[in-house]
Amino acid sequence: MSSTAWRITKVFNNNVVLAEREGERAVLLGRGIGYKRSAGRIVPPESIQEHFNPAGAQPPEQLARLISELNPEVLALARELADTASFMCSVKIPDSTVVAIADHIRFAIDRAIEGVEMPNPLKWEVSQFYPREFAFGLQALKQIKSSTGVQLPEEEAVSLALHVVNAQFAQRGADPANMARTTQVTKLLSKTFDVLDSALGGEPIDRESMDAARFVTHLRFLLRRIIDRGPTPHEPEPGMLKLGTKISDEYPVAFQIAGRVIMMLEMELDTETSDDEVIYLTLHIARLMNSPR
């Protein structure tokens, strides 16, 4: 490791700064690390408690902004879960996934406390095709309960498992077949945002915003499910279908846009989707629409 000191490029709050060292940019955490410090100041090594590197093309500012919004205890819990995932699934969990897991835990706990149930249409496929990752998800629920006192529903184990699946795909990115699929998914992500921008009108969605990043995470899960499944639609998730009328009534615009996106995906991938996938996408489009733009 280089002995060159880190120099602050941006302070996000008293405990989170973005810093640079020999061309490397990272998010540094530590109690009081940003207190009364400004861009250009050297970061005392003893003040650094955590160090996060952005992954791939992820803007460092985006990662830093998200970390600054997270409770340090939840972030520490996510790091513990990443260690558990590494052990159970034989995969290296990048810092960006640790932060994504922490962000997911934050919203999952809020939903559980508010009594909001959110069925996951990916449950059967994840439990069948990714048994180690699903086992990790179930174990993660136990660790979250032990740490926070909040019992999350089993559906959250699916989402936590998929964060690990995503990390594995990123790790295998050099494989030509995986690169081809990554390229395909990337193009479909872009086309989805084009549909959203066209349907919403006005100011385009900021594709580098945190809300867009969260939406992309869920959309990647959906795209991989559709691509892996092939031309035959799966058996719809009953729990999600039961929410269909309520969700379409509560979020009519998001439901209409989700239908357009699904139609585009069916044409691009020459496949058929199921009704629960429209509902699943509606929920995440509604959340994206309600975010500041």
Side-chain angles (χ1 to χ4, degrees):
M1 180 179 293
S2 172
S3 59
T4 305
W6 288 100
R7 190 177 296 273
I8 294 174
T9 58
K10 186 173 183 179
V11 176
F12 282 82
N13 59 36
N14 287 344
N15 304 315
V16 180
V17 302
L18 185 62
E20 188 171 15
R21 181 180 67 183
E22 295 185 335
E24 176 189 3
R25 301 184 77 190
V27 184
L28 307 181
L29 279 71
R31 187 179 298 277
I33 196 171
Y35 182 66
K36 290 188 176 180
R37 293 194 175 101
S38 57
R41 293 281 299 275
I42 296 294
V43 181
E46 65 274 11
S47 67
I48 303 172
Q49 296 173 344
E50 284 273 13
H51 175 286
F52 289 88
N53 288 311
Q58 181 182 32
E61 290 83 359
Q62 185 186 80
L63 181 66
R65 192 178 308 116
L66 177 53
I67 290 174
S68 69
E69 296 173 358
L70 292 170
N71 184 315
E73 293 179 358
V74 173
L75 199 55
L77 173 58
R79 184 73 83 180
E80 291 178 12
L81 294 180
D83 291 340
T84 300
S86 295
F87 175 75
M88 294 182 66
C89 306
S90 302
V91 60
K92 178 176 173 57
I93 305 297
D95 288 346
S96 56
T97 299
V98 174
V99 177
I101 289 173
D103 190 49
H104 183 93
I105 292 171
R106 172 177 62 160
F107 285 106
I109 288 175
D110 287 346
R111 285 195 297 270
I113 292 174
E114 294 169 6
V116 177
E117 295 185 8
M118 189 171 174
N120 196 316
L122 311 181
K123 184 175 179 180
W124 185 87
E125 278 125 323
V126 170
S127 63
Q128 296 298 311
F129 299 144
Y130 304 109
R132 290 194 307 174
E133 292 76 9
F134 185 62
F136 154 73
L138 294 175
Q139 173 60 30
L141 298 189
K142 295 178 182 178
Q143 290 181 230
I144 293 169
K145 172 70 181 299
S146 176
S147 178
T148 68
V150 178
Q151 179 63 61
L152 299 181
E154 191 171 290
E155 282 75 12
E156 298 297 348
V158 179
S159 297
L160 291 167
L162 284 168
H163 282 294
V164 178
V165 173
N166 256 356
Q168 290 172 325
F169 279 122
Q171 203 172 71
R172 298 197 298 264
D175 177 79
N178 194 59
M179 282 296 289
R181 190 168 85 155
T182 299
T183 300
Q184 182 184 32
V185 168
T186 301
K187 289 179 179 178
L188 291 173
L189 289 171
S190 179
K191 288 187 177 184
T192 297
F193 275 101
D194 289 343
V195 172
L196 289 170
D197 289 340
S198 174
L200 293 174
E203 185 180 350
I205 293 169
D206 180 2
R207 302 187 188 191
E208 293 189 359
S209 69
M210 284 315 312
D211 293 294
R214 293 185 183 107
F215 176 72
V216 165
T217 296
H218 293 288
L219 188 56
R220 278 200 185 107
F221 295 160
L222 181 61
L223 288 173
R224 282 177 175 155
R225 163 204 178 107
I226 294 173
I227 292 170
D228 286 347
R229 188 178 63 222
T232 307
H234 79 129
E235 188 67 27
E237 169 65 39
M240 187 65 81
L241 290 178
K242 288 180 182 177
L243 292 175
T245 301
K246 177 182 177 182
I247 289 173
S248 61
D249 289 344
E250 190 169 348
Y251 307 111
V253 177
F255 184 74
Q256 183 183 47
I257 296 173
R260 292 191 198 179
V261 171
I262 289 293
M263 186 181 301
M264 179 272 291
L265 295 178
E266 288 180 332
M267 292 175 63
E268 290 287 335
L269 298 171
D270 191 22
T271 188
E272 294 181 22
T273 58
S274 301
D275 290 342
D276 60 345
E277 288 165 329
V278 179
I279 300 166
Y280 174 82
L281 191 56
T282 298
L283 289 170
H284 295 294
I285 289 176
R287 180 175 167 187
L288 181 63
M289 288 173 59
N290 290 330
S291 64
R293 284 199 290 145

